[in-house]
Amino acid sequence: MNHIKAGQIFYPQPQPAVKPVPSTRKGVSFDSILSQKIKDQQPIEFSNHAIQRLEKRGIELSEEDLNRLSSAVQKVKAKGANESLILMNDVAYIVSVPNQKVITAMDRSSMGENVFTNIDSAVIV
């Protein structure tokens, strides 16, 4: 950090102009938009069921895996998905997209002949 000494003149650096984002929705409050943006940036959560399945099947997620999974959820959320199948590292995750919550997870050996229903999107990461 630069310190200004007595007698020095400080010239502030020009800042880029911030253009207001036009609202496509009428009647939407700033608070609701801010709350949604904050929610969108929260990390992905895991249901108790998903945690049990991960532990039972010995599936471990690194920080990088969590980031990739969260990124995949954000991508399908931007497309308007509600329930998504995300395939990553030979593991299938069923995710409630609006809640950003993993509902269940299974590894390749547990997938077998499973049929995935009630999903509206799939992502291969």
Side-chain angles (χ1 to χ4, degrees), residues 4 27 40 91 97:
I4 300 172
D40 289 347
V91 177
V97 177

Side-chain angles (χ1 to χ4, degrees), residues 54-98:
L54 290 169
E55 289 173 353
K56 179 181 177 185
R57 295 171 176 144
I59 301 168
E60 295 183 11
L61 293 163
S62 68
E63 188 71 29
E64 181 183 339
D65 291 336
L66 289 171
N67 289 335
R68 290 173 55 211
L69 188 58
S70 183
S71 177
V73 171
Q74 293 306 316
K75 286 178 186 178
V76 293
K77 187 173 189 174
K79 299 283 186 181
N82 289 309
E83 301 290 324
S84 186
L85 166 66
I86 299 176
L87 296 172
M88 182 178 78
N89 300 339
D90 289 332
V91 177
Y93 301 91
I94 303 295
V95 179
S96 169
V97 177

